[in-house]
Amino acid sequence: MTESSPLPGMIEPELLVATCRADGQILSRNDAWIRILGEDDGIWDRLTESDQKIAEQNFREACQGSLVTHALFMAIRPDRDLPAPVLLHFIPVTSSSDRTSGGGGLVAITGEILAEPDSWTENQTDRHRMATLGRMTMGITHDFNNLLGGILGHITIMETDGVLARSPAELTEHISTIKKAANDGASLIEKIQRYIRQEKKAVFEPVNIATLIHDCVILTKPYWYNEPRRHGIQIEVQYDAPDHIAVLGSGPELRDVFVNLILNAVQAMPEGGQINISAETDNKNMHISFRDNGTGMTEDVRTRIFEPLFTTKTGRGTGMGLSVALGVIQEHDGSISVTSEWHKGTEFKIVLPLQLDFPVSVVKENDPAERTSASILLVDDEEMVRNMMSRLLTLRGHQVTSCESAAEALLQLEDKSFDVILSDQGMPGMNGREFAENVRGRFGNIPFVLVTGDTNIDVDTQLISRVVSKPFKIEELDFVIHELT
C-alpha cells in the first residue's frame, strides 16, 4: 500500500501519543499529548470525572488484548472555558504469552484533539471538521456493520433451524420487519462507505413496488396504528398495487422515501384520518400515490416543501426528509409532485420508469445435495460475530475451527490443514492483512477470504483471494467458499 501526501490546503491534526505498562506506569508522552492532556502522574487527570472512569475501562480492555478505537472524551484545558473533545485509540502491544502469563504487555494510546485552534480561518476549521468526521465515520461503520451482521446472522439461524416456522404468525412478521430494517441499515452504511471511498452508486436491482409498499406499511405500523390508539386516535391505511411489476432501483432508498411520506401523512392527521396508497402502470411508467385527508398545506408551504432545511415541524424536524426524497426519485430518473388543499388533505405523486426487460443478477443457490463440505479456519476477535458465523457455516455443512486471534490461528495451521481461511481485518496484535502474509509465507497458497466491515479495503490480491463485506448473506459467503475449494 502506497502512502499519499495530504491534499493541498488540508490541515493535518497533531497526533497525541502515549505508551503505558499494564500496571499503569507511563513510559512516554509526546509534546502534543502533554500540551492537551498534561504530564500529571495520573494520565487521565485532565479528563472530566465521568470520562476518567471510561478511559480506565478502555485501558483495561486494551491490556487484555482488545483494540479500542474512536473513543471520544472531554478534556479540561486551562486555556479554554469549555472542555475540548479528544478522540483516542487504545492499541494493545502484547503477545499471546503476555496474556497467558497475566503480564499484560504494553498499551499504546494515540489520538487527536477535535477542537480547532482559534487562529484558524473559517475555511481551515470547516476542512478539519469534515476530515475528522470522515475518520470517525470509517470507524463507526466498521462497528455498526458488526452489529448488523450479528442481527442478520441470528435471524438467518432462526430461519435455518426452523424456529420461525414454529413461531406465531405475529412474531414471524415482527422478525421479518427487523430483518428488513437491518438490511436497510446495511445498505445505508454501504452508501456512506461508497461516498467515503468516492465510488459510484451501486448497480440498481429490480424492486417489486407492491412488496415495497406492503413492507413500508408494516414498518410504520407502530406510528399509524399503535401509538395513535394509545391517545384515542384512529388512523387507517389502505393500499393497493399491481403485483409482479418492478422498477429498477434501490429498494432501501425507495423504502426511505415511502416511509417518509407515510410518517408525514400521520403527522398531518392529529385527530385521525385515512391514508390511501395506490399504484398503477401505463406502458412506460409506474404511478404511485400517497394521499391523506389531514390538515393539508397552504400554497406557500406547498411551493417550498422540497427545499432543503424547510420544515413546518417546529423543534421536531430537520427539513431534509422531502428534499432527500426528491433527490432519490431524481436519481431513479423519476419525478415527485404534490397537490394539497388546506384543511382537506395532501397527495404526493411519484412517477418511476418501468423496466420490463431488466437483467437480473443473483447469486446461484447451491442445491443441498450438490454442496461439498469444506474445512474452514475462522478468525475474528468479536465473539458475537465469530459464534454467529461458525454456527451459520456449520448449518451449511462445513467443518469450522474458530479462533479469536491470528496468533491462535497460526498455531492451528501448524497442526491441521484447512480448505479455506476466513479472517476479519481489524484484530489486535496482528490484523487480517498481516495474518495473510504470515499464512502465505509459512503455509503456502491456502485460499484466504477477508470478511470485514472496514471502509478502506486495499488488499494484495496475491495474498487475499476474496473480500466479503460485513454484513453478508450466508448464501453469498457460501458461494465464495465453494468457488475457492
Side-chain angles (χ1 to χ4, degrees):
M1 183 170 58
T2 58
E3 295 184 357
S4 58
S5 300
L7 294 174
M10 284 298 294
I11 303 297
E12 289 297 298
E14 280 192 299
L15 184 66
L16 282 60
V17 181
T19 307
C20 301
R21 294 190 188 277
D23 59 9
Q25 180 184 355
I26 303 167
L27 299 181
S28 65
R29 286 177 281 199
N30 71 348
D31 291 340
W33 183 289
I34 292 171
R35 279 196 301 274
I36 304 303
L37 295 175
E39 50 183 342
D40 309 291
D41 292 338
I43 193 169
W44 308 122
D45 287 354
R46 293 277 184 95
L47 299 184
T48 60
E49 185 175 352
S50 59
D51 279 356
Q52 288 181 24
K53 298 176 181 178
I54 298 172
E56 287 290 351
Q57 177 61 33
N58 290 341
F59 180 78
R60 287 194 294 270
E61 291 175 8
C63 289
Q64 296 300 316
S66 296
L67 178 67
V68 182
T69 62
H70 301 90
L72 187 63
F73 302 99
M74 301 304 293
I76 300 170
R77 297 182 60 188
D79 58 336
R80 287 178 178 261
D81 294 332
L82 297 175
V86 178
L87 192 69
L88 296 180
H89 315 281
F90 298 75
I91 306 166
V93 186
T94 62
S95 65
S96 57
S97 60
D98 287 328
R99 291 192 290 272
T100 302
S101 64
L106 307 177
V107 174
I109 309 165
T110 67
E112 62 187 89
I113 185 168
L114 302 187
E116 302 84 10
D118 296 333
S119 60
W120 279 11
T121 65
E122 182 179 351
N123 195 26
Q124 287 175 315
T125 297
D126 288 343
R127 287 199 301 270
H128 175 258
R129 288 178 178 174
M130 291 304 295
T132 298
L133 180 61
R135 286 191 294 275
M136 291 179 66
T137 301
M138 286 191 289
I140 292 169
T141 55
H142 172 271
D143 296 339
F144 200 61
N145 274 331
N146 275 344
L147 295 174
L148 290 173
I151 293 170
L152 292 169
H154 283 286
I155 291 175
T156 302
I157 291 171
M158 293 172 69
E159 293 172 334
T160 307
D161 279 349
V163 174
L164 293 184
R166 300 189 298 271
S167 301
E170 185 177 359
L171 176 61
T172 303
E173 184 178 66
H174 286 310
I175 294 294
S176 177
T177 301
I178 292 170
K179 183 177 181 179
K180 287 183 176 68
N183 276 317
D184 284 356
S187 297
L188 176 60
I189 292 298
E190 182 185 9
K191 188 175 182 179
I192 294 171
Q193 290 175 320
R194 289 201 309 269
Y195 178 78
I196 293 173
R197 295 193 296 257
Q198 298 183 348
E199 292 179 357
K200 295 181 179 178
K201 68 181 182 183
V203 177
F204 283 168
E205 298 176 339
V207 179
N208 185 310
I209 292 298
T211 301
L212 186 63
I213 291 174
H214 172 77
D215 291 346
C216 292
V217 170
I218 297 300
L219 188 64
T220 56
K221 189 174 181 179
Y223 300 95
W224 61 260
Y225 183 84
N226 302 86
E227 185 62 22
R229 274 164 173 71
R230 289 180 58 242
H231 300 281
I233 299 170
Q234 183 173 346
I235 296 177
E236 294 182 0
V237 176
Q238 297 182 354
Y239 59 99
D240 181 50
D243 202 3
H244 308 302
I245 295 181
V247 300
L248 205 62
S250 166
E253 291 186 0
L254 291 175
R255 187 177 291 114
D256 285 345
V257 173
F258 291 6
V259 165
N260 186 272
L261 294 178
I262 293 173
L263 296 183
N264 281 349
V266 171
Q267 291 163 358
M269 295 187 291
E271 298 179 2
Q274 188 172 75
I275 301 172
N276 289 283
I277 307 170
S278 61
E280 56 185 21
T281 63
D282 55 28
N283 292 331
K284 294 182 179 180
N285 299 307
M286 171 79 75
H287 300 263
I288 308 160
S289 166
F290 292 79
R291 180 165 47 88
D292 68 70
N293 60 352
T295 56
M297 302 179 229
T298 64
E299 182 62 15
D300 178 61
V301 170
R302 189 195 68 80
T303 57
R304 299 186 59 193
I305 200 68
F306 293 110
E307 293 180 11
L309 303 180
F310 177 77
T311 179
T312 59
K313 307 168 189 174
T314 305
R316 294 187 294 122
T318 63
M320 294 303 294
L322 288 174
S323 63
V324 171
L326 174 63
V328 168
I329 297 302
Q330 290 176 340
E331 188 181 42
H332 286 73
D333 296 325
S335 64
I336 180 171
S337 60
V338 58
T339 58
S340 186
E341 191 171 349
W342 185 238
H343 293 311
K344 288 190 176 181
T346 299
E347 181 178 18
F348 284 88
K349 292 182 179 180
I350 296 173
V351 180
L352 294 171
L354 290 173
Q355 296 290 334
L356 302 177
D357 299 317
F358 45 75
V360 180
S361 176
V362 298
V363 175
K364 182 180 177 183
E365 171 66 18
N366 293 306
D367 187 282
E370 297 177 355
R371 292 180 190 154
T372 57
S373 174
S375 176
I376 299 172
L377 179 60
L378 171 64
V379 191
D380 199 302
D381 63 315
E382 293 282 348
E383 183 178 9
M384 179 188 71
V385 176
R386 190 171 64 249
N387 291 343
M388 176 271 296
M389 288 182 64
S390 178
R391 188 169 179 187
L392 283 174
L393 292 167
T394 300
L395 288 171
R396 305 289 290 192
H398 301 295
Q399 287 83 47
V400 182
T401 300
S402 299
C403 299
E404 67 174 346
S405 68
E408 181 185 345
L410 289 172
L411 293 176
Q412 287 286 342
L413 285 165
E414 291 178 356
D415 298 329
K416 185 179 178 181
S417 60
F418 295 91
D419 297 320
V420 64
I421 298 172
L422 308 180
S423 174
D424 187 25
Q425 162 58 19
M427 299 182 292
M430 185 187 306
N431 65 34
R433 295 182 182 88
E434 294 167 342
F435 177 39
E437 291 178 5
N438 272 273
V439 169
R440 187 68 75 240
R442 294 171 57 181
F443 303 101
N445 297 323
I446 305 174
F448 194 104
V449 180
L450 201 62
V451 186
T452 178
D454 283 350
T455 298
N456 287 331
I457 307 173
D458 182 16
V459 299
D460 183 348
T461 55
Q462 299 298 315
L463 298 175
I464 295 172
S465 310
R466 298 287 172 82
V467 175
V468 174
S469 296
K470 296 177 183 175
F472 56 83
K473 293 181 180 178
I474 187 58
E475 295 83 5
E476 296 172 351
L477 182 59
D478 198 31
F479 184 76
V480 169
I481 291 170
H482 282 284
E483 276 196 326
L484 295 175
T485 57

